[in-house]
Every structure is written in C-alpha cells, then in structure tokens.
Amino acid sequence: MIRVVIADDQPLVRLGLRVLIETEDDLDLVGEAEDGRAAVDIVRATRPDVVLLDIRMPVVDGLAALRTIVADPRLAATRIVIVTTFEVDEYVFEALRAGASGFVLKDTEPADLLRAIRVVAAGESLLSPTVTRLVIDTFARRPAVTAPDLSGLTVREREVMSLVGRGMSNDEIAARLVISPATARTHVSRVMVKLAARDRAQLAVLANQAGLV
C-alpha cells in the first residue's frame, strides 16, 4: 500500500483528491491538511510515502512546509509532489531545490495524477519537459554557484547524470546509451548515493549545477 497525505487549502480540491485516492486498492489516504503547519504535523504523525502538497497555503506556505519535511531525518522516505495551478511559476525552481520529487497540475487527468503518486512512491522523479526546461533556463540566468564534486563518478555515471538532468526516464536513458533499463537504474542509483541526492529531481538540479546539461 502507498500511504498518501493531501495538503490543500481548497476543500473542493481535497474532496476530489480524496475520492480519487479512495477508489484505488493500492493507495491509502492517511491524512488531510488545509494549511502548511497542519501538513507538517500530519506528515510527522503518519509518515506517509507520498504527500500531495499545494504550494500556496495559509499559516505556513507549501514551500516552507516542504523544507521542514525534507529537513526531518525521520521523514527521509517521504516523497513530495507539488500540486500547482500553473506549471511554470516562481515557486517551481525553489521547490525542486528544496527537495520536491515532482509537480502535477490541479487540472491534470485523474489517471495522470494516480500515475504521479505511484511513480514518485517508486523513487522516480516527476519532471515534465516544461519543468525541466525551466530548471535549465533558471540556471542559465543565475550567477555561478559552487558545482558539486563529481570526482567520484565514472564517465558513464556522468553521462547518466547528464541525461537525468534533461528529464529523461530510465527507459529513455537506456535507449540513448544502448544499455538495459535495469543497468540505467543501477547507474542512477549509484550516482544518487555518491552525491547524497534525495531523489532524481534533486539529481537533475545537481546536474545543472555541475554544468552537465
């Protein structure tokens, strides 16, 4: 079972998400919150696998709640999907840097939202091409930052990291490098361990910081 928490200040949005999740045999809704502070409290109490988090909420906003959850070592296994009205806005990049595993739009198709929950719960990132382009464009406009140390990576691992930074899935990486999806998955996992990346989304950010994209 994938344990899910919903955090959104709009009752109708929470209702829609609740009904959708409760229809699935492999999903278990363990909590709801209407503001960022309540979201943090519920996540700490229930330790879900996935949190659907609205970025704009009262009391404590979603970005602050995200940072608090990611900073808690007891919640290292919890993945956060940002639920937003607009795919590209000023919060997207900061949420990625803070540790969000992906984004979905509030008007996304139900099947796509369910897929997002399962993909993120499995340890993958959920970065659409638009969000990936935003990350690259944002880095291009920002002053230089200290690049991560890649000295411990092999040439192949750098290649894989570069493709993750472009938003490619394991299957796409496998096809590009002519290797099996399992081998691609192994390379990605090793790079994440070596760089202490929380998930693929954070690895994509590191790839951009390192100038691999």
Side-chain angles (χ1 to χ4, degrees):
M1 293 290 288
I2 300 173
R3 293 159 50 81
V4 183
V5 162
I6 297 168
D8 197 293
D9 64 331
Q10 298 179 42
L12 284 177
V13 172
R14 292 200 307 275
L15 174 61
L17 292 173
R18 182 193 315 136
V19 170
L20 182 62
I21 290 170
E22 289 179 343
T23 61
E24 299 299 305
D25 293 336
D26 63 331
L27 304 182
D28 180 19
L29 181 61
V30 297
E32 296 183 31
E34 62 183 15
D35 62 64
R37 182 178 299 165
V40 172
D41 291 341
I42 291 173
V43 170
R44 282 174 172 164
T46 60
R47 299 191 186 184
D49 300 301
V50 177
V51 181
L52 298 178
L53 183 68
D54 184 12
I55 202 70
R56 295 186 179 92
M57 289 189 293
V59 185
V60 173
D61 67 28
L63 196 56
L66 166 65
R67 291 191 176 110
T68 301
I69 293 168
V70 169
D72 190 333
R74 297 168 300 175
L75 303 174
T78 296
R79 297 291 175 255
I80 301 173
V81 176
I82 299 299
V83 182
T84 181
T85 304
F86 300 103
E87 188 173 31
V88 178
D89 63 22
E90 67 272 20
Y91 293 102
V92 168
F93 180 74
E94 289 305 320
L96 276 177
R97 285 180 62 92
S101 294
F103 293 81
V104 293
L105 298 179
K106 288 188 176 181
D107 62 355
T108 192
E109 292 294 326
D112 291 335
L113 179 60
L114 293 172
R115 172 184 169 274
I117 294 172
R118 293 176 177 120
V119 165
V120 169
E124 299 279 350
S125 63
L126 194 73
L127 295 180
S128 72
T130 304
V131 172
T132 302
R133 283 196 300 272
L134 175 66
V135 173
I136 295 171
D137 291 345
T138 301
F139 270 108
R141 293 194 302 269
R142 290 193 171 201
V145 297
T146 302
D149 181 8
L150 306 184
S151 59
L153 301 185
T154 65
V155 173
R156 176 63 88 188
E157 287 169 347
R158 292 187 186 212
E159 287 180 314
V160 169
M161 184 176 175
S162 173
L163 298 178
V164 170
R166 292 178 169 84
M168 289 189 180
S169 67
N170 288 337
D171 287 345
E172 291 169 333
I173 292 172
R176 174 68 67 88
L177 300 180
V178 195
I179 57 178
S180 71
T183 300
R185 188 180 306 109
T186 298
H187 283 312
V188 171
S189 297
R190 286 177 178 169
V191 175
M192 288 173 58
V193 169
K194 288 182 178 181
L195 299 182
R198 178 180 172 87
D199 55 26
R200 291 175 72 100
Q202 193 170 43
L203 187 60
V205 172
L206 292 174
N208 281 273
Q209 287 180 328
L212 296 181
V213 179

